[in-house]
């Protein structure tokens, strides 16, 4: 069994922020002290223009992560060649330290259903997903990270748990994992499993990056359904789970994802700093700040 | 028919549910969620898809969104998505059929407002062209100094190619004024007056300059001249067409302005 391959660029054990067009000015003028930025490559699959130029200017000062949402690696069909070619062109131009995608599917034949749809956790799905991860890794000439998604339904005929599915995928393809702590919290709440048990079943050495985000709570009748929105501050439960994960696995590059209801950039920076304090606290306990201090600095 | 429970069967049934062809097949495969019907779980995905496509189109067509309002825009998007489903995950390429959709019978028959506001499609065309010019390939413009090397008697037969970041747009409606009014309204400024619709056509040059798109109104003559060049006609022929549409057409003025703005990428002799 191959060990999870190490990413081919050094990864900062620091926090970063999901880069939005609205942040370009703050980043280029303010040069905030952040470990990295992350973008969806699909938003940069353009021939030219200021968006690409802004990314190039930002890349000159920060490491960059390309986090795909459009490859649909979980589809029964092979991943779209054209998409891989475009992704490779962006990789060549921007030299990201990591490239990631999702444990999900969106494409069915010639239709693209623009959301991260859940996979049945079956042998059949594992084989299709592994084949597509392999195709993407071959096309890019590197290993990629695969992220656990938020899901709102499960299938009756699942043959394994999500951590087991991810472990098998790592074994079969040599890919790494992008662990989204918010998505674990959302799924644990929606499907009623223990998030600590989920973390304990994850092959920690494969984790190349962590995502942190906020979510929303919808109510249906008497029960809550948690929805991954990236539209709110990270909640206390997710911070607690992050603290636990860093304790288990050690520090990992940690991304603050925020796509909706964008707050002032300083608020996101404060969340990134909080993640770095937690990482520093676990790496070397003498640096750990009491939680109330961390909160006082927040926003 | 794919084997029951296979990945192919799940994805086929899931796609059917998300595209409004019935939930039954996929619902039978969904593990019961305490107190929540499968249709509600599927609605979360249906809502996410609608929100993603609508967000993408709203980003591409902010003026149209401001003109029609949030409620109308969402309803219109439901119809558009049903007829024009994305074929891949690159949302920067999605929504480009909207101008044609806004002119279709399907749209006109369904929405009475489309007939009262016949310029919707051209507003969308203007916004789409602006996005395309903004994200067009980088290319050095034609250096005006080239003209010094052309013998005067050959100038008439020159042909010019527009740069990939420049294009022309004509409309029977004052779409630039409507666009400016809508964008001001989107920013909360309702003081910009609506332009007269009758006998108020727009002839526009849309060009990326220093990383920003500019929309420049042209006289009839200047527009005819550039349209003719863009269609492949030689300079002499294009100037004649421009004189025909505007008798005070000034060839040297429009040519030097176009060259200094970088409208052309290249030229050919003969
Ligand atoms: Fe994530």
């Amino acid at each position: 069994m191959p060990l999870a391959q190490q990413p081919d660029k050094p990864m900062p054990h620091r926090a970063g922020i999901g880069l939005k067009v609205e942040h370009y000015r703050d980043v280029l003028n303010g040069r905030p002290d952040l470990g990295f930025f992350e973008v969806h490559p699909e938003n940069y699959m353009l021939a030219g223009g200021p968006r690409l130029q802004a990314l190039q200017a930002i890349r000159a000062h920060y490491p960059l992560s390309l986090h795909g949402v459009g490859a649909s690696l979980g589809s029964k069909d092979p991943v779209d060649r054209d998409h891989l070619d475009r992704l490779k062109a962006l990789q060549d131009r921007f030299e990201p330290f990591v490239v990631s995608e999702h444990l999900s599917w969106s494409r069915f034949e010639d239709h693209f259903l623009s959301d991260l749809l859940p996979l049945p956790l079956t042998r059949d799905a594992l084989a299709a997903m592994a084949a597509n991860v392999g195709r993407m890794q071959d096309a890019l000439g590197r290993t990629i990270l695969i992220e656990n998604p938020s899901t709102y339904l499960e299938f009756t005929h699942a043959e394994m748990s999500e951590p087991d599915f991810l472990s098998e995928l790592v074994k079969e393809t040599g890919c790494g994992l992008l662990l989204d702590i918010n998505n674990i919290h959302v799924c644990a709440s929606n499907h009623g499993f223990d998030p600590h048990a989920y973390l304990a079943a994850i092959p920690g050495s494969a984790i190349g990056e962590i995502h942190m985000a906020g979510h929303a709570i919808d109510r249906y009748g008497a029960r809550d359904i948690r929805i991954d929105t990236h539209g709110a501050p990270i909640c206390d439960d997710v911070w607690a789970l992050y603290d636990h994960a860093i304790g288990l696995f050690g520090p990992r590059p940690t991304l603050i994802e925020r796509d909706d209801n964008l707050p002032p950039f300083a608020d996101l920076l404060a969340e990134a700093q909080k993640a770095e304090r937690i990482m520093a606290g676990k790496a070397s306990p003498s640096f750990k700040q009491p939680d109330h201090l961390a909160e006082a600095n927040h926003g | 028919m794919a084997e029951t429970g296979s990945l192919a069967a799940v994805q086929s049934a899931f796609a059917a549910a998300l595209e409004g062809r019935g939930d039954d097949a996929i619902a039978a495969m969904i593990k019961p969620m305490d107190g929540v019907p499968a249709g509600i779980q599927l609605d979360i995905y249906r809502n996410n898809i609608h929100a993603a496509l609508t967000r993408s189109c709203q980003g591409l067509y902010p003026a149209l969104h401001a003109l029609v309002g949030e409620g109308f825009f969402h309803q219109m998007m439901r119809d558009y998505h049903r007829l024009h489903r994305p074929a891949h995950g690159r949302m920067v390429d999605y929504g480009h059929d909207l101008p044609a959709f806004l002119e279709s019978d399907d749209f006109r028959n369904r929405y009475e407002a489309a007939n009262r506001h016949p310029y919707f499609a051209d507003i969308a065309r203007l916004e789409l062209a602006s996005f395309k010019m903004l994200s067009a390939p980088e290319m050095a413009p034609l250096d005006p100094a080239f003209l010094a090397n052309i013998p005067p008697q050959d100038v008439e037969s020159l042909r010019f190619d527009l740069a990939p970041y420049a294009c022309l747009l004509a409309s029977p409606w004052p779409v630039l004024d409507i666009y400016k009014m809508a964008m001001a309204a989107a920013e909360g400024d309702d003081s910009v007056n609506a332009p007269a619709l009758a006998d108020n056509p727009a002839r526009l040059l849309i060009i990326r300059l220093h990383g920003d798109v500019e929309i420049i109104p042209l006289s009839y003559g200047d527009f005819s001249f550039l349209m003719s060049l863009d269609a492949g006609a030689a300079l002499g022929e294009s100037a004649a067409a421009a004189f025909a549409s505007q008798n005070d057409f000034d060839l040297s003025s429009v040519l030097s302005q176009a060259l200094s703005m970088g409208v052309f990428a290249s030229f050919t002799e003969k």
Side-chain angles (χ1 to χ4, degrees), chain A residues 42-43 45-51 53 74-76 80 82-83 86 105 108 110-120 124-125 128 151-157 190-191 220 223 225 227, chain B residues 5-8 10-12 14-15 18-19 26 28-31 33-37 40-42 44-45 48-49 52-53 85-92 131 134-138 208 211:
Chain A
E42 292 79 5
N43 292 341
M45 289 179 179
L46 301 165
R51 201 186 288 180
Q53 288 182 348
S75 284
K76 68 179 174 64
D80 175 6
D82 183 40
H83 192 81
R86 289 165 192 254
W105 66 283
F108 176 70
D110 58 350
H111 293 194
F112 191 86
L113 304 151
S114 47
D115 197 14
L116 302 170
L117 302 173
L119 274 177
D124 184 24
T151 60
Y152 312 109
L153 58 82
E154 293 180 305
F155 294 97
T156 48
H157 60 296
N190 288 345
H191 307 311
Y220 183 78
R223 72 160 287 168
I225 304 179
I227 312 280
Chain B
S6 68
L7 182 61
V10 167
Q11 293 182 336
S12 168
F14 212 129
L18 298 184
E19 295 179 345
I26 194 70
M29 297 183 232
I30 295 175
K31 188 170 151 185
M33 187 188 247
D34 177 31
V36 182
I40 296 291
Q41 293 172 278
L42 291 166
I44 298 172
Y45 290 103
N48 284 351
I49 290 172
L53 297 177
R85 300 198 187 279
H88 57 67
R90 296 179 292 279
M91 286 297 115
V92 291
F131 170 75
L134 191 66
S135 51
E138 310 294 335
R208 182 177 71 209

Side-chain angles (χ1 to χ4, degrees), chain B residues 157-188:
Chain B
S157 60
L158 294 178
R159 293 171 200 275
F160 292 86
D161 298 310
L162 256 60
Y165 50 77
C167 70
L168 299 159
L169 181 84
S171 168
W173 316 106
V175 283
L176 179 56
D177 295 325
I178 299 170
Y179 170 81
K180 285 179 177 166
M181 178 187 73
M183 293 306 278
E187 300 282 299

Side-chain angles (χ1 to χ4, degrees), chain A residues 67 102 147-148 178 180 183 211 230 257:
Chain A
H67 180 51
H102 293 84
E147 175 178 359
N148 58 299
L178 195 175
D180 188 310
N183 290 347
H211 271 180
H230 299 177
E257 289 188 290

